[in-house]
Amino acid sequence: MRALRGLAVLLAAVPAMAAVSEPLSVAGIAVGKDGSSLSVPMQVVILLTLLTLLPAAVMSITPFLRIVVVLHFLRQALGTQSTPSNQVLLGLALFLTIVIIQPVVVDMYHQGWEPMEAGRLTPQQAMDEGAKPLRNFMLRFAREKDIRLFVEIAHSPPPRTPADLDLKVLIPAYILSELKTGFQIGAVLFLPFLVIDLVVASVTLSVGMVQLPPVMISAPFKIILFVLVDGWNLVVGSLMKSFYQ
């Protein structure tokens, strides 16, 4: 009987012990008195999730998008198939992107992260302040037509000033604008190489060389022309200057 009585007392004390114990962790979320804190495992999960989204962000909201589209069109226009390889084109696009976006990232660090570390801003305020340089960068290249489209799709009120645009509207508008610009540059790059293909095709047909693909003959001429005019310098230089206008 004493054993049963002691067990009953212990069971009755469990709720009181739980009330003063460590915060309960449910699905990795540490629920305290205010229910707002996160446990270390959940913080790690959130951090890893954000890291998986980082490549998509780098490819979408930076100059990487326009640069890689133009370089892909250039390789197609040259007709060199897989030369340069995808790794080389992506590496070149990434380093060119770093050169262009570095001042923006530095401004984001100074306006958002440093004040938050000093305790002058809350995390939400730091995110808002740190997003301003990126918003200004995207506003320089986002077309008004694309912005209007996504404002209508999102059913957002028309912004009074460009600074009032939400990122959920500005980011897709910037992506569409960069895709259009990249395709325009790619079409211009195709024109001189298309002329070479037409000339070579007409010559081979006129002399009766029907069995020989014109691409095999035009490819060396296109590469020679590209090398003689220092094509890489012209293309990369024009791309870089287009972001500083």
Side-chain angles (χ1 to χ4, degrees):
M1 294 293 295
R2 290 182 178 178
L4 293 176
R5 188 177 302 171
L7 181 60
V9 173
L10 181 62
L11 292 175
V14 167
M17 294 172 61
V20 298
S21 62
E22 295 294 329
L24 179 64
S25 178
V26 179
I29 302 178
V31 182
K33 293 182 179 180
D34 57 352
S36 60
S37 59
L38 293 177
S39 66
V40 174
M42 179 55 73
Q43 293 177 11
V44 173
V45 170
I46 294 175
L47 178 61
L48 292 177
T49 303
L50 293 177
L51 288 177
T52 58
L53 298 176
L54 182 61
V58 171
M59 290 186 292
S60 301
I61 62 176
T62 64
F64 184 90
L65 176 61
R66 182 192 304 186
I67 295 172
V68 77
V69 168
V70 172
L71 293 179
H72 175 74
F73 273 112
L74 176 62
R75 186 175 65 180
Q76 293 293 108
L78 286 172
T80 54
Q81 303 298 326
S82 60
T83 304
S85 63
N86 289 331
Q87 291 82 355
V88 174
L89 293 184
L90 292 177
L92 177 60
L94 181 60
F95 282 105
L96 295 178
T97 301
I98 292 174
V99 173
I100 298 171
I101 206 68
Q102 182 180 1
V104 179
V105 175
V106 171
D107 290 341
M108 293 173 66
Y109 177 78
H110 290 321
Q111 296 183 25
W113 185 263
E114 283 185 347
M116 186 183 68
E117 279 190 327
R120 297 193 301 269
L121 295 178
T122 64
Q124 183 62 41
Q125 292 173 340
M127 289 179 61
D128 295 337
E129 292 296 324
K132 288 182 179 179
L134 181 62
R135 180 183 286 108
N136 294 334
F137 174 81
M138 289 190 292
L139 279 172
R140 291 170 51 196
F141 304 103
R143 297 186 306 159
E144 183 180 351
K145 182 179 180 181
D146 295 327
I147 294 175
R148 190 183 304 112
L149 170 65
F150 284 100
V151 167
E152 295 174 356
I153 292 176
H155 300 290
S156 301
R160 291 175 296 178
T161 62
D164 296 334
L165 278 173
D166 196 353
L167 286 178
K168 69 180 180 182
V169 172
L170 184 56
I171 289 176
Y174 170 80
I175 294 174
L176 281 188
S177 301
E178 287 294 281
L179 285 175
K180 179 179 180 180
T181 304
F183 272 69
Q184 288 176 337
I185 299 174
V188 174
L189 287 175
F190 254 102
L191 293 179
F193 300 110
L194 180 61
V195 172
I196 295 177
D197 286 331
L198 292 175
V199 172
V200 171
S202 61
V203 171
T204 54
L205 289 176
S206 63
V207 298
M209 300 173 61
V210 182
Q211 301 299 327
L212 183 63
V215 178
M216 295 183 60
I217 303 176
S218 63
F221 288 101
K222 290 190 289 187
I223 295 174
I224 291 173
L225 173 65
F226 190 71
V227 172
L228 289 177
V229 299
D230 199 3
W232 287 111
N233 185 280
L234 291 175
V235 173
V236 173
S238 300
L239 271 175
M240 299 294 284
K241 291 176 183 177
S242 66
F243 288 100
Y244 292 100
Q245 293 178 354

